[in-house]
């Protein structure tokens, strides 16, 4: 049963692949999956939100970073999509080992290891309290997993997109490169696109704008605060129609 006092009842959590990597963000760290899985389980235990997760693959392969090496971009993007399936499987395995029911759905059909994405089935799984992991990006090259998160959020009627990153919001510049960069607490979609902030691609912002889906960018360290976020607490940077 959905909790009526919640601001956001059905939520998409976007987890970038670098969150699953070793200290430098690369490779596979089973302890990183486990830490995130434990936080996610606590969120589900604290309230009755419906939770879907979109996983990235930046710890394994980033299709957009092969430019200049002569590699076909389309093939590189498909390699990245396969990377998201590795992260999805690992996250699913640990969530279920810790007792949380999940279903994984892929945008590219891989029926021996996961269900294909079927909108109505995804919604049914959420209604039954299962965490649904979406892997395979959008299933098409030239898109990012941020676009996949916004696409799925719009398709399955999520109330918000929560993007967990290594920084605690959207900054005027990369705070790891410029310590004087300032953090925005709110942005409109238009500002986010015009400022070309690189935290999320313009396609993702544009779809959110059209469908009026709020995006909250926050630190992965604050995943444990999601129960407060869904009750309306503001942390990180909120991108929405009005500020
Ligand atoms: P409901 O019975 O509708 O509540 O959903 P369910 O997921 O429990 O039932 P279903 O019979 O569809 O699935 C049973 C198990 O098989 C679940 O773990 C699914 O994730 C898995 N499953 C269903 N379809 C596929 C598929 O196409 N490929 C793979 N690999 N697994 C599937």
């Amino acid at each position: 049963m959905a909790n009526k006092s919640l601001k956001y009842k059905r939520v998409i959590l976007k987890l970038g692949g670098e969150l699953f990597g070793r200290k430098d963000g690369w490779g596979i760290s089973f302890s990183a999956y486990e830490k995130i899985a434990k936080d996610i389980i606590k969120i589900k235990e604290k309230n009755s939100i419906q939770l879907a997760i979109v996983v990235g693959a930046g710890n394994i392969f980033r299709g957009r970073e092969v430019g200049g090496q002569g590699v076909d971009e389309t093939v590189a993007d498909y390699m990245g999509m396969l990377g998201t399936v590795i992260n999805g499987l690992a996250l699913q395995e640990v969530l279920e080992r810790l007792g949380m029911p999940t279903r994984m759905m892929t945008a590219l059909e891989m029926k021996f290891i996961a269900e294909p994405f079927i909108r109505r089935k995804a919604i049914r799984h959420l209604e039954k309290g299962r965490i649904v992991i979406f892997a395979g990006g959008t299933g098409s090259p030239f898109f990012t997993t941020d676009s996949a998160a916004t696409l799925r959020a719009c398709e399955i009627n999520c109330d918000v997109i929560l993007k967990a990153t290594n920084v605690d919001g959207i900054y005027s510049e990369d705070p790891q490169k410029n310590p004087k960069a300032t953090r925005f607490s709110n942005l409109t979609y238009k500002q986010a696109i015009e400022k070309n902030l690189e935290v999320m691609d313009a396609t993702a912002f544009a779809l959110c704008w059209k469908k009026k889906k709020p995006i909250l960018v926050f630190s992965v360290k604050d995943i444990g605060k999601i129960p407060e976020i869904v009750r309306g607490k503001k942390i990180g940077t909120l991108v929405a129609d009005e500020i």
Side-chain angles (χ1 to χ4, degrees):
M1 276 284 276
N3 182 337
K4 288 203 174 81
S5 68
L6 298 179
K7 181 170 185 194
Y8 304 125
K9 300 179 184 72
R10 183 176 291 164
V11 169
I12 277 234
L13 175 62
K14 161 73 203 303
L15 298 172
E18 64 283 357
L19 307 177
F20 305 124
R22 294 183 296 263
K23 278 206 177 97
D24 62 356
W26 280 101
I28 282 173
S29 161
F30 285 103
S31 59
Y33 294 114
E34 189 158 328
K35 189 175 176 312
I36 289 178
K38 283 182 176 160
D39 283 340
I40 289 169
I41 290 172
K42 277 192 213 140
I43 299 163
K44 282 287 283 176
E45 280 168 355
K46 274 193 189 160
N47 56 37
S48 51
I49 55 165
Q50 296 182 6
L51 182 64
I53 298 174
V54 170
V55 283
N59 56 323
I60 298 168
F61 187 80
R62 275 204 185 91
R64 65 179 181 274
E65 285 176 6
V66 300
Q69 296 181 62
V71 181
D72 184 293
E73 264 183 67
T74 320
V75 176
D77 279 347
Y78 281 116
M79 290 167 71
M81 287 180 230
L82 294 180
T84 69
V85 178
I86 294 176
N87 282 331
L89 273 177
L91 188 62
Q92 178 176 44
E93 189 279 331
V94 66
L95 281 166
E96 297 224 323
R97 180 155 40 87
L98 297 171
M100 176 55 61
T102 68
R103 295 291 184 267
M104 181 160 102
M105 297 188 144
T106 55
L108 294 160
E109 193 172 341
M110 302 175 82
K111 64 182 179 192
F112 295 110
I113 54 171
E115 298 178 31
F117 172 70
I118 297 168
R119 176 180 176 265
R120 291 173 65 112
K121 198 149 172 69
I123 292 173
R124 198 78 193 106
H125 288 321
L126 292 173
E127 288 169 347
K128 289 187 175 176
R130 299 161 182 157
I131 291 179
V132 179
I133 300 170
F134 294 123
T138 62
S140 299
F142 312 119
F143 292 95
T144 64
T145 49
D146 284 337
S147 291
T150 57
L151 181 64
R152 295 292 181 243
C154 295
E155 280 179 293
I156 63 167
N157 309 323
C158 288
D159 303 312
V160 69
I161 298 155
L162 302 180
K163 179 177 159 81
T165 71
N166 280 323
V167 282
D168 61 350
I170 304 181
Y171 281 74
S172 52
E173 289 170 67
D174 184 343
Q176 278 152 356
K177 289 183 192 149
N178 182 358
K180 288 192 178 148
T182 50
R183 183 167 63 82
F184 301 104
S185 62
N186 291 82
L187 283 171
T188 61
Y189 302 111
K190 191 166 184 270
Q191 287 170 330
I193 293 171
E194 280 174 1
K195 289 181 191 294
N196 196 17
L197 291 164
E198 288 185 9
V199 63
M200 215 154 150
D201 57 289
T203 314
F205 280 131
L207 182 58
C208 287
W209 189 1
K210 189 172 171 210
K211 305 303 289 181
K212 309 277 183 261
K213 286 283 169 221
I215 309 157
L216 187 86
V217 180
F218 69 110
S219 165
V220 66
K221 291 189 190 125
D222 288 332
I223 278 193
K225 294 188 183 155
I226 290 179
E228 295 153 65
I229 295 172
V230 297
R231 290 190 152 76
K233 186 181 163 94
K234 256 290 300 23
I235 62 166
T237 303
L238 182 70
V239 185
D241 210 18
E242 289 170 16
I243 56 173

